[in-house]
Amino acid sequence: MNIVIIGTGYVGLVSGVCYAEMGHNVVCVDHDANKIDSLNLGESTIFEPGLNEMMSRNVRSGRLSFSTKTIESVRNAEIVFIAVGTPPLPSGQANLNYVFKAAENIGESLSKYTIVAVKSTVPVGSNDVVEQIISSKFSGDFCVVSLPEFLREGSAIEDTFHPDRIIIGIDNNDERTKEQLKNFYAPLNVPMVFTDRKSSEMIKYASNAFLATKISFINEIANICEKLGANVEEVAYGMGLDNRIGMSFLKAGIGYGGSCFPKDTEALIQIAGNVEHEFKLLRSVVEVNQYQRMKILTKLKNSLGSLEGKEIGIWGLSFKPGTDDIRETPAIEIIDRILDHGGLVKVYDPIAMDNFKKVMDRPNIKWCSSSLRASENCDALCVITEWPEFKYIDLMKLKSIMRRPIIIDGRNIYSDHEIKEAGFDYFPVGKKASRTSGDIFHIQGGEI
Ligand SMILES: NC(=O)c1ccc[n+]([C@@H]2O[C@H](COP(=O)([O-])OP(=O)(O)OC[C@H]3O[C@@H](n4cnc5c(N)ncnc54)[C@H](O)[C@@H]3O)[C@@H](O)[C@H]2O)c1
């Protein structure tokens, strides 16, 4: 099929590359000319494992191309996917300007029956507006479908080829569109759920809100475990074996970040508020997440006393491993607070340093070329992102280069055994802290 993707960011680029790999002719469109220039030079604009090779292969085969020209590209398409951003407005509501602009551009370009499939995460009812915008520009036949995206950065290719399900929201029982989409996704051999557009839009928000709830729930359990001397990892394992609960999203840490959970939870609170329903549970989920980020600072302060003049190593900047995405990463707020309290930070991330430099322009940050460099002479080290290379570091060597052997582990990457053997003062999440000497630190409850 001839496929066009409007918006060539994390979702659009990965989807475009994967659809070309499935044998379709794909044009990825973006209004950012610099992005399209880089892609045309063969340089991927995002880090995603396996993406570069697959992209080059499909460009060489002639199935994949990149363009800034919506009208030319859309004219021959059978399916046009909208994958533009829906970032949060200051109120928390999703900004739909990009989606509506894309709809306008598509309306101006259509010349024959075409499916317009909206992958962008949009509030319930938005696709009705997309339909109105297109029909104000094009009087022929077309069908707007809600096709929410569930890929995860870091495993986006795997998720595109092997999703748990594909949700397709179509109104008016449009059989022709249904058949075409069934054919398009048939090679993936996964469950397809056909529903109405509004329910489809809600499935996306409800799924993300539920996953965020699981994370905040286990983080609250972790906070109680810390006080009672229980071990949240044992608790999560014991809970997860229950099929009704499941193992996933029960890893305690410093809370969720990224481009989806924070904005989608806020947006769902707004969506509910718009119909005069106060989503109390989700408000608490967001509040717990905010508190969880700050706990790493409480632990720092409790272990070091004042942060004034202290050197703090920061391992990991992206919101999770496997991506260079730093949108809503906890690292931003944590580093900001350390600097506000007079600390100096040394940071390292294997992939996300360049992106992070663009948003964090403050003095007293030293950008380091390796994890060991970022720990040299440090008074404490904070693990923010669980990149595998941090887990497999030589702990003895690490201890020998730090000024004080203190690790605040926001991701529980080390076992108690290895930490004890290496002789660190160690502050994990939801487990007992271990100290080489009980006398050095005065541990108390206060918050920074
Ligand atoms: N990133 C994820 O992991 C993920 C997962 C599932 C769903 N989503 C949703 O998918 C959507 C896209 O997310 P993303 O992370 O890929 O965003 P992104 O910011 O990485 O990419 C969006 C792209 O759209 C382009 N764009 C905006 N308006 C345009 C227009 N009118 N014409 C052409 N290009 C235009 C931008 O230049 C940008 O390159 C969002 O609604 C998001 O919530 C994202």
Side-chain angles (χ1 to χ4, degrees):
M1 286 185 191
N2 292 326
I3 305 297
V4 169
I5 316 244
I6 310 286
T8 308
Y10 281 87
V11 168
L13 182 58
V14 172
S15 304
V17 169
C18 291
Y19 295 160
E21 182 78 3
M22 283 163 69
H24 300 290
N25 299 313
V26 181
V27 185
C28 287
V29 176
D30 205 286
H31 62 187
D32 181 340
N34 290 333
K35 206 172 251 194
I36 294 301
D37 286 347
S38 301
L39 291 165
N40 277 326
L41 289 171
E43 293 160 11
S44 173
T45 43
I46 56 169
F47 172 80
E48 189 59 45
L51 188 67
N52 255 335
E53 307 80 66
M54 199 180 281
M55 186 176 103
S56 313
R57 185 164 66 237
N58 283 285
V59 168
R60 275 199 307 276
S61 74
R63 284 194 301 267
L64 178 64
S65 61
F66 303 100
S67 171
T68 51
K69 298 191 174 74
T70 307
I71 295 187
E72 262 173 40
S73 312
V74 166
R75 202 169 285 142
N76 292 322
E78 283 141 271
I79 309 177
V80 179
F81 289 94
I82 298 183
V84 300
T86 46
L89 291 165
S91 64
Q93 247 162 336
N95 179 353
L96 294 174
N97 286 347
Y98 301 104
V99 173
F100 294 158
K101 185 73 197 159
E104 208 178 302
N105 295 152
I106 292 168
E108 285 158 357
S109 321
L110 291 184
S111 57
K112 59 172 177 54
Y113 166 76
T114 309
I115 298 173
V116 179
V118 181
K119 273 181 182 283
S120 302
T121 304
V122 293
V124 180
S126 306
N127 283 311
D128 295 353
V129 184
V130 167
E131 187 176 88
Q132 283 158 19
I133 293 173
I134 297 176
S135 59
S136 72
K137 304 272 170 193
F138 176 63
S139 54
D141 199 9
F142 68 94
C143 183
V144 173
V145 174
S146 161
L147 223 150
E149 180 55 65
F150 295 94
L151 65 74
R152 295 160 301 175
E153 290 174 17
S155 57
I157 291 182
E158 170 72 13
D159 292 346
T160 303
F161 287 129
H162 306 284
D164 291 334
R165 79 306 202 190
I166 293 168
I167 305 292
I168 302 178
I170 306 184
D171 281 355
N172 307 326
N173 247 338
D174 185 330
E175 285 302 327
R176 171 161 59 157
T177 303
K178 244 187 205 175
E179 278 313 304
Q180 212 163 324
L181 289 171
K182 267 187 197 162
N183 290 338
F184 182 74
Y185 285 114
L188 301 185
N189 199 19
V190 295
M192 275 182 244
V193 177
F194 286 95
T195 180
D196 61 280
R197 273 201 310 236
K198 283 188 176 157
S199 302
S200 167
E201 290 161 338
M202 186 52 123
I203 287 169
K204 173 65 192 177
Y205 278 108
S207 302
N208 274 1
F210 186 74
L211 294 173
T213 303
K214 264 187 120 176
I215 295 172
S216 280
F217 182 85
I218 200 66
N219 282 337
E220 280 286 69
I221 296 293
N223 295 335
I224 303 166
C225 283
E226 264 177 38
K227 292 192 170 168
L228 294 175
N231 180 332
V232 74
E233 288 179 345
E234 303 287 322
V235 174
Y237 180 68
M239 285 170 64
L241 284 174
D242 185 329
N243 281 334
R244 295 169 304 174
I245 298 173
M247 290 289 180
S248 61
F249 284 78
L250 284 187
K251 191 158 180 354
I254 51 174
Y256 56 79
S259 67
C260 290
F261 286 1
K263 91 171 165 60
D264 292 349
T265 45
E266 290 287 357
L268 186 51
I269 290 169
Q270 293 290 331
I271 291 167
N274 290 344
V275 287
E276 282 161 33
H277 182 90
E278 197 195 342
F279 202 151
K280 289 184 191 152
L281 175 62
L282 200 51
R283 271 196 198 286
S284 299
V285 166
V286 171
E287 203 180 309
V288 168
N289 196 57
Q290 186 57 26
Y291 171 77
Q292 202 65 16
R293 288 180 178 190
M294 291 304 111
K295 274 210 76 178
I296 212 160
L297 291 152
T298 309
K299 288 176 182 173
L300 252 185
K301 186 132 186 282
N302 286 342
S303 56
L304 288 175
S306 161
L307 298 187
E308 190 69 43
K310 301 277 177 15
E311 286 192 81
I312 315 292
I314 300 287
W315 279 6
L317 299 172
S318 57
F319 80 95
K320 67 173 184 177
T323 180
D324 61 350
D325 198 342
I326 49 97
R327 289 178 282 186
E328 289 288 336
T329 172
I332 296 175
E333 208 166 341
I334 290 167
I335 291 174
D336 256 335
R337 291 290 186 101
I338 295 172
L339 295 174
D340 289 347
H341 283 79
L344 315 166
V345 296
K346 290 182 163 180
V347 304
Y348 170 71
D349 186 288
I351 302 288
M353 300 266 275
D354 288 345
N355 280 349
F356 202 79
K357 279 181 193 166
K358 289 178 202 156
V359 299
M360 180 64 82
D361 180 23
R362 289 186 66 169
N364 295 333
I365 300 181
K366 195 161 179 201
W367 307 94
C368 300
S369 56
S370 71
S371 39
L372 286 177
R373 283 261 154 84
S375 347
E376 249 168 351
N377 296 322
C378 280
D379 296 285
L381 174 66
C382 299
V383 179
I384 305 291
T385 319
E386 63 275 39
W387 286 98
E389 66 175 82
F390 302 154
K391 183 168 174 51
Y392 300 112
I393 201 92
D394 178 341
L395 285 172
M396 291 298 190
K397 175 114 198 258
L398 177 65
K399 187 182 171 199
S400 72
I401 60 169
M402 289 181 68
R403 186 173 298 137
R404 299 172 75 174
I406 300 174
I407 298 178
I408 318 283
D409 185 353
R411 301 295 181 182
N412 287 353
I413 61 174
Y414 299 118
S415 70
D416 296 347
H417 166 74
E418 59 188 336
I419 274 298
K420 273 203 181 109
E421 205 170 85
F424 278 93
D425 292 303
Y426 183 60
F427 301 88
V429 179
K431 300 195 288 185
K432 263 189 266 176
S434 53
R435 294 175 206 95
T436 48
S437 153
D439 302 325
I440 302 175
F441 308 115
H442 177 55
I443 304 298
Q444 57 191 10
E447 277 180 45
I448 194 167

